[in-house]
Amino acid sequence: MRFRNALLLCSLAATVFIAGCSQTTSTAGSAPEGQKVATNQIFTSNYGAVEDHGYPLPAIPIKRLDPRFHRQIVDYATRERPGTIVVNTPNRFLYYVLPGGKAVRYGIGVGKAGFAWEGEAYVAWKQEWPTWHPPKEMAERKPEVAKYVEAGMGPGISNPLGARALYLFNEEGRDTLFRLHGTPEWSSIGTAASSGCIRLMNQDIIDLYSRVRPGRNARVVVQQ
């Protein structure tokens, strides 16, 4: 399935709006609760401080975040095969499909108004502790990030891409400029706050990263 026209238009202008996956101020209210599902296991205790490849990730005050957005294994009826990633934008959930009618569900932050997208893609490649390169257009609006356009912002806990990034390509093998990535802004989970990319808490993107093997079979479906 091809990206819808809106996604194609966004891709043409992606260097203006999307490529940076920049940090923004959270503006959305509470996400709709959506359909009730059975939780098989919840990982509320997995958000403590951890050292990852030499980078110290701080603990997330997870009790301050709605339990719906804590990582958990849930019942999930779908025709998608195991290994597929389904992004439910309205409810702010990302599902990694497991066998047997189950999925790992993560809370996410999504694109704010004007940056939302839907369609299908695949994870072409992934990166631990990625370097962030904001587009030149962003630097024109925010001179403080201009120094990172060419050299990039090196990995670290304040990097907007967080601890991991998964890079989404379309069926023609072109970079969509959309990412699944970590974020130091844990409080933005459950909101529409990003410039189009899908953000997860760092502890969650590390977990998702470990499950995904890049390639055409690493399918991503984004729902609006």
Side-chain angles (χ1 to χ4, degrees):
M1 174 181 171
R2 295 181 179 276
F3 287 108
R4 298 191 179 189
N5 291 339
L7 176 57
L8 293 174
L9 291 173
C10 287
S11 297
L12 291 173
T15 55
V16 178
F17 298 117
I18 299 165
C21 288
S22 63
Q23 293 172 288
T24 59
T25 301
S26 300
T27 57
S30 298
E33 185 173 358
Q35 183 179 3
K36 295 284 187 181
V37 296
T39 295
N40 296 257
Q41 186 177 4
I42 191 164
F43 299 92
T44 299
S45 63
N46 286 32
Y47 293 95
V50 62
E51 183 171 310
D52 181 73
H53 296 289
Y55 296 97
L57 281 174
I60 294 172
I62 195 64
K63 291 184 179 179
R64 294 172 57 187
L65 195 65
D66 191 317
R68 291 183 296 128
F69 301 123
H70 299 191
R71 187 194 328 152
Q72 51 199 280
I73 295 176
V74 299
D75 289 346
Y76 188 63
T78 180
R79 295 181 180 179
E80 301 293 348
R81 65 186 178 190
T84 301
I85 294 171
V86 179
V87 178
N88 184 315
T89 300
N91 290 327
R92 318 290 198 252
F93 295 139
L94 182 151
Y95 296 90
Y96 179 83
V97 180
L98 299 172
K102 310 291 183 183
V104 186
R105 191 180 79 185
Y106 307 87
I108 58 174
V110 301
K112 59 185 176 180
F115 295 92
W117 62 284
E118 65 181 314
E120 297 186 11
Y122 68 94
V123 179
W125 62 290
K126 60 183 186 177
Q127 182 66 52
E128 297 179 332
W129 291 101
T131 297
W132 177 58
H133 289 271
K136 292 180 179 179
E137 291 78 8
M138 180 182 293
E140 291 173 359
R141 301 192 306 271
K142 298 181 178 181
E144 67 272 17
V145 306
K147 60 184 177 181
Y148 301 122
V149 171
E150 297 297 333
M153 177 187 285
I157 60 173
S158 61
N159 187 301
L161 295 181
R164 304 285 190 276
L166 285 70
Y167 297 81
L168 306 187
F169 282 45
N170 64 20
E171 64 179 7
E172 286 82 26
R174 298 191 182 96
D175 189 351
T176 67
L177 304 177
F178 290 100
R179 315 286 184 238
L180 308 178
H181 65 86
T183 179
E185 296 183 327
W186 63 267
S187 60
S188 69
I189 301 304
T191 73
S194 76
S195 294
C197 295
I198 303 300
R199 57 173 64 176
L200 294 81
M201 288 179 280
N202 277 320
Q203 283 84 340
D204 282 348
I205 195 66
I206 289 172
D207 183 82
L208 177 63
Y209 182 99
S210 70
R211 299 174 186 273
V212 175
R213 182 176 180 179
R216 293 274 182 175
N217 290 330
R219 188 162 171 261
V220 179
V221 180
V222 179
Q223 304 168 337
Q224 288 290 349

